[in-house]
């Protein structure tokens, strides 16, 4: 049975970061979207070492959010495992294979001017 509780964006963010860390996601970058867009409060970009790990990270994350908070996340891309998008409503998570992440460089679009993904990863995790 799914719990009827919900969690605010900061609680979701903490749970997501913990789940990604537990599942050995790499190069985790957290981007604050508050005041920039209505699509969510936070965006997280991370990498898995293989298609199988990317899919597993995404699956475990959605399962944990559902079990712990009753959050039904939308997920796209799990079948191929190159780039999986998880949308909780408040937090958007992108899990990439490293080569695909390098190609799209998604975090560069959302980071503040002058800030690099390395600076964000170092200060947030």
């Amino acid at each position: 049975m799914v719990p009827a509780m919900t969690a605010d964006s900061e609680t979701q963010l903490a749970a997501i970061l913990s789940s990604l860390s537990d599942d050995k996601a790499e190069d985790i970058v957290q981007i604050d979207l508050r005041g920039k867009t209505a699509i969510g409060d936070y965006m997280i970009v991370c990498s898995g070492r293989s298609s199988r790990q990317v899919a597993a990270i995404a699956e475990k994350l959605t399962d944990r959010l559902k079990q712990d908070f009753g959050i039904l996340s939308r997920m796209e891309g799990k079948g191929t495992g190159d780039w999986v998008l998880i949308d909780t409503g408040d937090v958007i998570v992108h899990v990439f294979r490293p080569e695909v992440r390098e190609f799209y460089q998604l975090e560069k679009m959302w980071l503040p001017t002058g800030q690099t993904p390395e600076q964000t990863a170092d200060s947030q995790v």
Side-chain angles (χ1 to χ4, degrees):
M1 184 161 178
V2 177
M5 54 187 159
T6 59
D8 64 13
S9 60
E10 285 77 21
T11 303
Q12 288 180 40
L13 178 66
I16 290 166
L17 291 172
S18 176
S19 178
L20 294 174
S21 178
D22 290 349
D23 293 333
K24 308 293 189 242
E26 298 176 346
D27 302 320
I28 301 168
V29 175
Q30 170 188 328
I31 303 167
D32 190 343
L33 299 177
R34 295 172 296 178
K36 296 178 187 174
T37 181
I39 64 170
D41 291 339
Y42 297 98
M43 180 182 294
I44 299 172
V45 181
C46 65
S47 300
R49 291 181 299 278
S50 66
S51 295
R52 177 177 265 168
Q53 186 188 21
V54 167
I57 288 169
E59 186 69 33
K60 284 186 176 185
L61 175 60
T62 58
D63 288 347
R64 287 176 180 139
L65 290 172
K66 182 178 178 182
Q67 182 179 12
D68 295 346
F69 302 107
I71 297 171
L72 299 177
S73 305
R74 292 173 294 283
M75 184 176 6
E76 296 289 333
K78 186 181 147 216
T80 59
D82 289 334
W83 174 5
V84 180
L85 168 75
I86 301 123
D87 184 355
T88 72
D90 291 330
V91 181
I92 299 164
V93 182
H94 299 272
V95 186
F96 287 99
R97 277 190 315 107
E99 303 82 22
V100 177
R101 182 176 180 175
E102 179 62 31
F103 179 78
Y104 287 103
Q105 298 184 8
L106 185 65
E107 57 263 47
K108 285 187 177 182
M109 285 192 294
W110 291 98
L111 286 173
T113 305
Q115 188 173 12
T116 65
E118 293 79 20
Q119 290 170 329
T120 303
D122 292 342
S123 64
Q124 299 296 331
V125 179

